[in-house]
Amino acid sequence: MGRKRRHLLTPWQQFAIKQVRAIAEVQPDELTFLGRTPGVNDRFVGIDIRLRTASLTLEPGGLPLHDEEDFMLLVDGSPLVPPLVMVRHDRFVGHPHVLEGRRLCLYLDPAREWDPTQGFAAAIDRLYGWLADAAAARFDADTALYHAVGGVLHQTDGTPTIVVRAPGRSVKAQAAFLTVRTSRRQDLQYRRTASDQHQTFVFEVAASLPLGAGTTLTGLLTRLDNSSAPSACEVESMAFLTALAAAAAHNPVDTAQHFILAIPHPVGGPPHLLAGRIPADSANELRERVRTRSAPVITISPESLDTKSPVEWCPVSDERSDVTTRRDATRPITSFQDKTVHVWGCGGLGSWMAEFAARAGAKRLVLCDPGTVAGGLLVRQNYTEDDIGDSKVESLRRRILAIRDDIEVEAHNGLVVDGIKASLPDIHIIIDATISTAIGRSLDNLASVRPRPFLAQVATDAQTSTLGLLTVSAPSTAKGPHSIDQEAGVRVISDGELEPFHTFWEEVSPDDEVIPTRGCSVPTFHGSAADLAAVAAVLTSIVGSHLDSDEPVSGTHLVSLPSSPAGVYRKFIPASEPPG
């Protein structure tokens, strides 16, 4: 027999051993260097240490520490990876930030928390601080990373992501269906909507799985049984297998069988969801047992199967509202959630604002524009090469539906929606990005209708597209945005400090416009996608601040980007109130 190849230490690992040994020599009463762990693997080197923890305060529910505790530091070959910390016992199983029972989650966000230049003295200090917080029960189990399933991400390479948006019922096993969207994505639903859906089920596990869910069917069944009460030994595994077989019997032969585990969180609330699948041969065995059963009730015993079959874990995109906090939850843009938004003019500003409103959660978008996408527009408008030759509204509609499939998008290949007055009560805001005087006048005519939505007009400057103009008419205001804009123009023109914004109410100089092509080409404004998207983003956020305001106001906003010759600037000019 050949000798086992010895793991060659990298300079970083050699430094780690040397530094930990030196720390132990300086602080012998607090830290003992126990030596190097032989044969960890080809990537890590193990360093065994003993920490004195007798002085740490122990609180009910905290980590059960002895006066001294042994740990193994697993040091990667590269300083870019923080050391892992392991224990060789099971006393910490089930505690927050203890992964699979034996690894301590010392660095929740290594990219920001690990600095290799601080060396291993800082890592040991962090371990000691972690133990102090854990012993005193200062960790919040509700926010512990994947705490319900052992603190580790269950994911097998090559498996599709399962998207979950709807909550299920609290039952032991609930029928469900997977709809294939792409080779990388399947959606979980609780009712059949097509004949080619894969039937699956959601299985409610009795308790959390602090050691994880395993990588084989044997391992999974064992963990399920361990989650049960002692008096219910093996009931979980049999119930799971029965539901698995029943689902498999509804799917074609030679197909893998998926399942969803609903795992209770240690501190309560919505369960954590895991999605897995067994290979086709194992699923076929279950189908055969269902087909040849002698009794009407499906009963599958774990002992009757080849339970060494692997389990593959699928990543879950859990988008249930009760477990997911929107990343824009505290920003003004969140006011667009569940709103009906009209965007008239889908060009340099409108095309971006429509997308921003959609990403912010708008329920319904109505797009109006008579234009067609040409190649030159791609420099600054929100379209792609595949859109050239198609109408702007249809192209933008496809883009928005590719971003969100739960939004209603209506496309009108024209300037405005015919018969708009009848639908005003169902609209939350109309954003006019056409720079059309005629449409501005039509919005003024709508201002007197009750009830009506917010009315807004947006524009940018012709020379740089780094200035933004937003005029908002609140539903309680008698004036429309065009009238408010004209009043604001008088005040701006008379103010020398606002000279960069005079351009919005003055005749455009030929030098400020660009002729995009030779011949009879309509002059247009200068502008890049970066500047226009930035202006549109600023204006969309300001619109959001108006939408759900307790005291809606009307007026004109002037803004400029950092890249603007005018520098960063923002001003609000309130609309004048009509005499009482």
Side-chain angles (χ1 to χ4, degrees), residues 201 237-247 286 290 297-301:
F201 64 102
S237 60
M238 292 185 65
F240 173 78
L241 282 176
T242 298
L244 188 67
L286 290 175
V290 171
V297 178
I298 300 174
T299 303
I300 306 292
S301 171

Side-chain angles (χ1 to χ4, degrees), residues 83-224:
L84 307 179
V85 180
M86 304 285 295
V87 296
R88 290 186 170 90
H89 55 75
D90 296 327
R91 288 186 288 114
F92 297 167
V93 170
H95 285 267
H97 297 296
V98 177
L99 314 185
E100 291 188 303
R102 294 197 172 188
R103 179 157 67 91
L104 312 186
C105 183
L106 213 61
Y107 296 92
L108 187 62
D109 186 357
R112 291 188 293 180
E113 298 170 355
W114 167 243
D115 183 354
T117 64
Q118 296 179 355
F120 284 84
I124 292 173
D125 285 345
R126 190 175 185 89
L127 170 59
Y128 197 81
W130 187 98
L131 292 170
D133 288 339
R138 287 193 285 265
F139 286 144
D140 183 359
D142 190 42
T143 58
L145 189 63
Y146 303 111
H147 184 240
V149 288
V152 292
L153 185 65
H154 288 64
Q155 184 172 328
T156 305
D157 289 344
T159 56
T161 294
I162 308 300
V163 176
V164 183
R165 289 177 176 163
R169 295 182 291 116
S170 182
V171 295
K172 192 61 181 176
Q174 180 179 3
F177 304 91
L178 289 174
T179 301
V180 176
R181 293 286 298 273
T182 68
S183 61
R184 304 178 305 275
R185 170 183 175 178
Q186 297 182 17
D187 291 359
L188 182 72
Q189 298 171 313
Y190 289 100
R191 61 186 181 88
R192 186 181 288 279
T193 58
S195 59
D196 59 348
Q197 287 175 303
H198 176 90
Q199 182 153 338
T200 184
F201 64 102
V202 179
F203 186 82
E204 193 174 86
V205 181
S208 61
L209 303 177
L211 298 180
T215 58
T216 65
L217 193 52
T218 298
L220 172 59
L221 297 176
T222 299
R223 285 164 171 78
L224 291 178

Side-chain angles (χ1 to χ4, degrees), residues 479-538:
K479 297 177 182 177
H482 182 76
S483 297
I484 296 173
D485 169 83
Q486 293 304 301
E487 290 181 359
V490 174
R491 298 169 63 179
V492 172
I493 293 294
S494 64
D495 189 338
E497 293 185 0
L498 298 178
E499 184 177 358
F501 296 95
H502 291 183
T503 182
F504 286 115
W505 293 275
E506 294 177 339
E507 290 293 328
V508 178
S509 167
D511 295 336
D512 290 343
E513 293 184 319
V514 60
I515 305 297
T517 58
R518 292 186 298 173
C520 187
S521 179
V522 178
T524 186
F525 59 92
H526 299 266
S528 69
D531 290 327
L532 281 163
V535 171
V538 171

Side-chain angles (χ1 to χ4, degrees), residues 43-93:
R43 175 179 174 184
F44 293 99
V45 62
I47 303 174
D48 288 306
I49 63 172
R50 178 171 295 155
L51 284 181
R52 180 167 176 78
T53 54
S55 62
L56 297 181
T57 302
L58 304 181
E59 297 290 347
L63 203 67
L65 294 176
H66 295 162
D67 289 348
E68 292 182 329
E69 292 286 351
D70 291 352
F71 303 95
M72 179 171 60
L73 305 180
L74 295 179
V75 182
D76 188 81
S78 167
L80 301 179
V81 180
L84 307 179
V85 180
M86 304 285 295
V87 296
R88 290 186 170 90
H89 55 75
D90 296 327
R91 288 186 288 114
F92 297 167
V93 170

